[in-house]
Amino acid sequence: MQFFKNLFGKKEVPEPTVTIEGAGSLDWDADSKYWIGTLSGTTISVAYDGLAKPKEDLAQFVTQTLKQPDFLENAVSRIKSVARAQYPENRHPEIEELQPKDVVFQNPNFILIQFFSPEDHEPFWFGEIHGSEIYVGCDT
């Protein structure tokens, strides 16, 4: 029943700016349908789920995640490790050069980290963190 309510229910107008502890002030971006901010030079995005502000459980997940010491460095290291195991050795130098461009909090226990190569446009890499599982992909 909740699925249909979310699918067909009236969506609230997003707040233009929200503040989430650990992430700071995030501004609504109508094109991407995320609240977006910057933390230590990396874009932080929080998904819209039809409410004026992010759901409380998502906001708490963002706060808890970003308060972890070295969260991003550890996540990137784990993603690169999975990528090296998944892709041939000739791609390893490219994998090592990847830098995170956007950390997208989709819902509790689902973080999408987007990367670009040093050319800042291609190829596009991503890592999905679902709890303790990591999935890596590359769109060339």
Side-chain angles (χ1 to χ4, degrees), residues 27-96:
D27 296 321
W28 175 248
D29 181 74
D31 291 335
S32 67
K33 300 214 182 317
Y34 290 103
W35 285 278
I36 299 175
T38 303
L39 185 64
S40 302
T42 301
T43 302
I44 303 294
S45 302
V46 178
Y48 171 67
D49 197 19
L51 301 176
K53 298 189 285 187
K55 286 185 175 181
E56 187 60 33
D57 61 344
L58 178 56
Q60 288 176 354
F61 177 64
V62 171
T63 298
Q64 291 170 349
T65 301
L66 294 178
K67 282 188 171 184
Q68 294 175 20
D70 302 322
F71 151 73
L72 188 56
E73 292 82 6
N74 292 336
V76 169
S77 177
R78 290 174 32 221
I79 289 168
K80 286 181 179 183
S81 178
V82 170
R84 284 189 303 272
Q86 204 174 312
Y87 287 88
E89 197 169 312
N90 68 330
R91 300 292 299 269
H92 292 191
E94 177 184 348
I95 291 167
E96 291 308 313

Side-chain angles (χ1 to χ4, degrees), residues 2-40:
Q2 184 68 27
F3 171 76
F4 289 113
K5 184 177 180 183
N6 288 343
L7 185 61
F8 298 111
K10 183 172 169 79
K11 298 196 184 283
E12 297 176 8
V13 175
E15 291 287 327
T17 302
V18 297
T19 300
I20 298 177
E21 185 181 347
S25 181
L26 307 169
D27 296 321
W28 175 248
D29 181 74
D31 291 335
S32 67
K33 300 214 182 317
Y34 290 103
W35 285 278
I36 299 175
T38 303
L39 185 64
S40 302

Side-chain angles (χ1 to χ4, degrees), residues 94-110:
E94 177 184 348
I95 291 167
E96 291 308 313
E97 294 296 317
L98 295 175
Q99 296 296 318
K101 294 293 182 182
D102 194 9
V103 178
V104 182
F105 290 89
Q106 298 283 357
N107 61 52
N109 295 314
F110 176 19

